[in-house]
Amino acid sequence: MNRPALYVGLVLLLALCAFAWYAISPIFRVVEIDEALPRSSDTVGGEYAPEEPMNESSPEPEEAAAPFSAAVVGTTAHPASGSVRIVEGDGATYVRYENYKTINGPDIYVYLAKDLGAKDFVDLGRVRATEGNINYEVPAGIDIADYRYV
């Protein structure tokens, strides 16, 4: 057998293995974060108050204003679960993922988008964890009402 062809074949095989490791290995990495809810947090579009135990003498509230929360929707290739909501606290607005769970991958980011095609979007940064409760700060000056999708 021709030695140069063997060497080229080995180099290509090593390059293929290196690429496969780069592309596949992040899927098996689990990173968990449990960030606290920002202080003095309010949910945009609703009130947020920590639940307090009720006793028999406490009147039941007429209408409990539940914070707006949406389910995280994954895809076939990238499953995800949990909920997401917009909260305000610590003088900023945050996109907060709660009970979030997904698989990792190379170069995945969190965006606010005006449409499903993400033609007009705001980059909130790389996904920092695959599980947990995670806050992503929305840059100052962004009107969160203009962005329907995360």
Side-chain angles (χ1 to χ4, degrees), residues 102-150:
T102 190
I103 59 173
N104 206 345
D107 296 330
I108 48 179
Y109 290 80
V110 177
Y111 298 113
L112 290 176
K114 291 185 177 183
D115 58 25
L116 286 174
K119 294 177 184 126
D120 189 6
F121 67 91
V122 175
D123 182 358
L124 301 183
R126 286 182 176 266
V127 169
R128 297 192 328 261
T130 56
E131 294 182 8
N133 300 309
I134 311 155
N135 301 321
Y136 293 93
E137 187 172 346
V138 176
I142 298 296
D143 184 3
I144 198 75
D146 292 340
Y147 297 88
R148 297 184 54 197
Y149 302 96
V150 179

Side-chain angles (χ1 to χ4, degrees), residues 39-98:
R39 286 182 291 131
S40 302
S41 66
D42 290 324
T43 301
V44 175
E47 294 179 17
Y48 175 79
E51 291 185 25
E52 295 179 12
M54 295 181 77
N55 59 33
E56 305 241 349
S57 63
S58 298
E60 196 165 319
E62 294 284 325
E63 285 185 45
F68 175 78
S69 179
V72 172
V73 179
T75 64
T76 303
H78 201 94
S81 62
S83 62
V84 64
R85 62 187 176 137
I86 306 300
V87 296
E88 292 179 347
D90 296 334
T93 301
Y94 297 88
V95 171
R96 178 170 172 83
Y97 284 92
E98 294 178 329

Side-chain angles (χ1 to χ4, degrees), residues 17-27 104-106:
C17 288
F19 175 76
W21 176 254
Y22 169 77
I24 295 172
S25 69
I27 293 171
N104 206 345

